[in-house]
Amino acid sequence: MLSRYILGNRVDSLTMDEAVDKIAEFIKEGKPHHIVTMNAEIAYQAYNNPQLQAVINRADLVTADGSGIVWAAKKLGKPVKERVTGIDLLKALANEGSKRGWRFYLYGAAPGVAAKAAKRLEQDYVGIKVVGTKNGYISEREMPALIKDIKGVKPDILLVGLGAPRQEYWIARHLEEVQVPVMIGVGGSFDVLAGVVPRAPEWIQRLNLEWLYRIVKFKRFKRALALPKFMLAVLKEARQEEQEKGS
Ligand code: UDP
């Protein structure tokens, strides 16, 4: 597997099929593995945060989630084979897992959403085994019970939908403890599967201003700004590499 570095972050060059094969190998091996699907926003955060960058670079597999990463790899003269997004990887694993009998556990999203996403997976991928779900808003105090539950039902794949980078830190911190062969941060994928759109606070809904809330939602705004910053940093890195080659 060929690895590339973008702003100091590792990304692996592989197709969706190769990613699924790799994950099947991880399951066979049995020891815990961390998989990151890296988009431009998280790559830019990690560029400015050595702790997060270390977590990403220590992962067992880092896929190119998003066209920003694919563009950057190409720009730096180290193209990756294919874009492998979190939601697409989740679906490909559900498909393969339903044939191979893999056991899935879904942890994350608002109460009820992971269970709804699980139902959806059971409908769409007949024979899939979802062995547990838990919402992503439990307290630290409830964490030991969650870990115990996960260990008890022995999933092959633990999908962690806490949003990035919370899910990456959670996986890195609990990897050895939960001993699940494959742990993947899947961001808002459970919301997508369950068809749930996160709602605005109730007072905004009461004022009929939810549409406005969606447009100006701070996080989305900040997110939108991360992409040009990421692109500028990549262009700078590409220029530096050119200069180094030339000198
Ligand atoms: N979330 C969670 N616990 C938290 C914070 C967020 O489970 O403490 C969930 C949230 O409900 C949503 C997901 O994490 O389902 C974050 O989705 P988003 O699209 O913001 O993240 P991204 O896909 O960009 O990582």
Side-chain angles (χ1 to χ4, degrees), residues 67-197:
S67 40
I69 297 292
V70 174
W71 168 83
K74 207 166 154 197
K75 201 81 207 160
L76 291 165
K78 310 167 221 173
V80 291
K81 285 188 186 164
E82 198 169 281
R83 178 177 170 187
V84 176
T85 71
I87 184 80
D88 291 342
L89 182 61
L90 195 170
K91 288 179 178 172
L93 290 173
N95 184 39
E96 192 67 22
S98 63
K99 295 179 216 152
R100 298 206 197 197
W102 291 341
R103 299 162 69 80
F104 291 82
Y105 195 108
L106 278 54
Y107 165 46
V113 175
K116 210 165 165 190
K119 274 217 186 85
R120 191 61 205 271
L121 288 175
E122 281 160 356
Q123 274 167 15
D124 292 355
Y125 304 93
V126 176
I128 192 172
K129 286 185 191 146
V130 180
V131 294
T133 62
K134 190 75 191 174
N135 81 75
Y137 292 87
I138 61 169
S139 65
E140 263 316 301
R141 219 162 28 87
E142 294 168 281
M143 209 47 88
L146 169 66
I147 308 259
K148 198 167 158 220
D149 186 46
I150 296 171
K151 286 175 87 159
V153 295
K154 292 192 186 318
D156 297 297
I157 300 181
L158 174 59
L159 303 169
V160 185
L162 301 177
R166 189 182 277 111
Q167 61 201 16
E168 278 68 36
Y169 286 129
W170 191 91
I171 293 173
R173 187 145 64 95
H174 295 96
L175 197 68
E176 291 303 324
E177 199 182 356
V178 296
Q179 287 288 323
V180 175
V182 171
M183 299 169 80
I184 314 176
V186 293
S189 296
F190 301 152
D191 295 321
V192 176
L193 280 176
V196 181
V197 183

